Amino acid sequence: MDMNQYLNMFIDESNDHLQSLNEKMLQLESSPTDLGIVQVIFRSAHTLKGMAATMGFEDLASLTHQMENVLDLVRNNKLAMQEFIFDTFFKGLDALESMVQNITEGGDGKADVSSIVASLQSIVRGDFQKSGIDAVTEAVTPKKAADSESAGLVLDQFQYSVLEQSISEGHRVYYIQVTISSESQLKAARAFMVFNTLENSGEIVKAYPSVQDIEQEKFEQNFSLYYITQKEVGELEKEIAGISEIESVSVVQLDQESLKQMSEVKAGLAETAAVQEAPVAVQQQSAASQPQSPTAASGAKPADGKAQVAKPAAPTHNRTIRVDIERLDVLMNLFSELLIDRVRLEQLASEASNPALTETVEHMSRVSSDLQNVVLKLRMVPVDTVFNRFPRMVRDLAKSLDKKLDLVITGADTEMDRTVIDEIGDPLVHLLRNSVDHGIEPVATRIAAGKPETGTVHLRAFHSGNNVFIEIEDDGSGINREKVLKSAISKGIMTEEQAAAMSDEEAHQVLFAPGFSTAEVISDVSGRGVGLDVVKSKITSLGGNVTIHSVLGKGTNFSVQLPLTLSIIAAMMIQIGSEKYAIPLSSIVETAIVKRTQIRSVHGNKMIAFRESHIPLISLSQLFEVPDFNEDEEEETEVVVIRKGDRLAALSVQDFLGQSEIVLKNLGKYLPNIQGISGATILGDGQVALIIDPNVFIK
Amino acid sequence: MGEEIKVIVFKLGEEEYGVEVEKVQSIERMVPITRVPRTYDFVKGVFNMRGVVIPVIDLRGRFGLSEAEYTDQTRIIIVAVGEMQVGFIVDSANDVIDLNTDNIETPPEVVGGVKAKYLRGVAKIGEERLLIMLNLSEVLNRSEMNQLEGLED
């Protein structure tokens, strides 16, 4: 059987399933005991496995099979979801996604997923069915391997006090070093077994390398940990050494004094290492905010980096079909052809004055305008198609920055034109990253400022008039005007005088200046050399606008205004000589007629009085060098008053032809940027009229 | 042995030019063209080809030849290179021939005033006929024009 014809269907459906798996996993993470969600995830994974197996993508099928095994235990109440399982699953989903991506690009979907499969298998075997692991994973910030092992095992204040307290309460605290045999094929699995054994009878407070790194086999042969238990040294040594492929184990019991010494020595060592490791401070803060007893910590649900979607208004299971966007474009083009003929028919019918013909043509006109509406609506897509990847992104981002935050999405069903949707994803990712990285403060800072330790980022979409607004609002630190301006001055973006004269609003806009960044430390997230200026220019190129509203200490709101659709706009048609132009209604304030005598000359520029002020008058016929019109011969001039922000200007034209909805077309790749022209549209008679871009005329 | 290609033949003045048939989308009679202000002189404007707005350039103007009156014979050849669709105004177009690529010679320094880099070569057909093969991607190259005009920022 030739599978190629099913390939596209497979890719589409796989992406759907992966998206839904991601969403459901996030939901499950915030309510881990909801078996209903597990059922949905199980079914999705099962379908995916079946499809992949049918199509012959073995790696995909076997990975989903392993995931399914875990899910099966969970839904039958034999296994409780916990952070380690979530992390493994998300890793699995990422791997699946890249495999499907590979298939999309014509690959065979093969990938090395053995480590994930090993983790999944260990979950099924129950090697990790221990809640104690949570404490470790939470307390350890993911970070790169430090220069020396001892430096990596530095204790933060919280961990230190836990150990100290345990000793004073009569528990035994050990520093354990384990070396795994160099011949071991499954280092990570052996390490798991050690952890597992230890957790049966105590608490691991800190491990080096971090648990994540150990899971991914990112360690040589050794790892070390601090451990609290009641057991004797000898007993422990025997237990660990009893695990196969363990080469050596050393267990050192610590008392108050030796603990203090160790942590001091190591803190000293770590200080040098910490220079390259910015997150150390963050790590302490996050740990300090955690429950003060290790047992309580282990029971706490993983709150850091939790991203929540406000319960979507009952997922709409639309009965839909997939249509290639190009086919819709062809349909639109054919339709505009039809409209041209309709106009022609109407004209002929009125000339022929045959009642039966006139009636038929009128009916056809009505049907075709209904048809037009339908065709245009086909291009509208809910903004959800962009938003749905954000919860997962924010979760991972918050985890890597060690911050706590909720992402609340509202208005995901807001519809926009497909062309806008396709373009808006990247700018939004950028703004969200900005909010998470710069906006939301680390937990300790938030507590110090009297805020809830979990930050909130709202992502909202809503319609307003002919626009769609997308807002990203955080309750973080807000924009520090002085810091922004100082940074802008030092980067040569402005002078001190300019900075001093700026309103807060203007100062916030500086964030969009090219080359601007306030990030003092270049983190993993920011400082990639792509600034908000790219966001701004992208949104502007879509005919939209982005504004910032921020209150220092309270938070920041980025508001993105976008046109509902890029393909249809309301416009005023005007005529100059034999040429017709369209001016977008959105930028027109009003139209007027002025006498030539009312036009004044100020410093060589023409001005007219408008309301209480004088505004510049720009002659379109001169600007566009229209060959067959000279307005100087007219007594009265029609003008269109246009607006950009709060500034106005008037364009003089010959005649107004009236308002109409026009289908926007670009001028083609050969003529991408003509000054003053933003595109073209096709008129009823089949001719092309150019669309004027009024923004250019107001500097 | 070179491959056989089909070539659309068109005329500018007395010269005969050729473009590969697969680069040509259609050949249209003259249509009303909407002037686009503030662009190059040889860009005559845009027109509507079945719902798609396509720029039209006068090939004589593009090559720096004197422009001619449009007649009944004038045609617009719609070519597509990559994602770029452009109409060329030519004096006439009425022939399709088969050509062996072996017969295409590298262009001489100057052919009828057209810069050599716009040309892929010259093909000899029969005894007398010379066919100038166009290098379309150079003809449609915008980078050189941007430097000339500085219209963009």
Side-chain angles (χ1 to χ4, degrees), chain A residues 333-334 336-337 340 579-581 623-627 665-677 680-683 686-690, chain B residues 32-40 42-43 45-55 57 62 83-86 139-142 145 151-152:
Chain A
N333 289 342
L334 287 175
S336 38
E337 286 283 287
I340 294 159
E579 299 181 351
K580 290 172 183 168
Y581 292 92
L623 199 74
F624 287 165
E625 295 158 347
V626 179
K665 311 239 170 194
N666 64 34
L667 287 178
K669 281 252 179 334
Y670 190 72
L671 296 173
N673 293 313
I674 302 289
Q675 210 180 10
I677 304 291
T681 186
I682 295 170
L683 301 175
Q687 297 244 11
V688 178
L690 299 176
Chain B
I33 294 173
T34 302
R35 189 183 68 92
V36 177
R38 302 173 80 106
T39 178
Y40 324 102
F42 56 80
V43 175
V46 289
F47 84 108
N48 162 26
M49 188 179 78
R50 289 178 276 287
V52 182
V53 175
I54 295 182
I57 67 183
R62 180 72 184 96
E83 287 177 39
M84 220 184 264
Q85 272 185 314
V86 173
V139 176
L140 296 179
N141 188 355
R142 290 185 47 87
M145 298 194 296
L151 264 175
E152 270 106 330

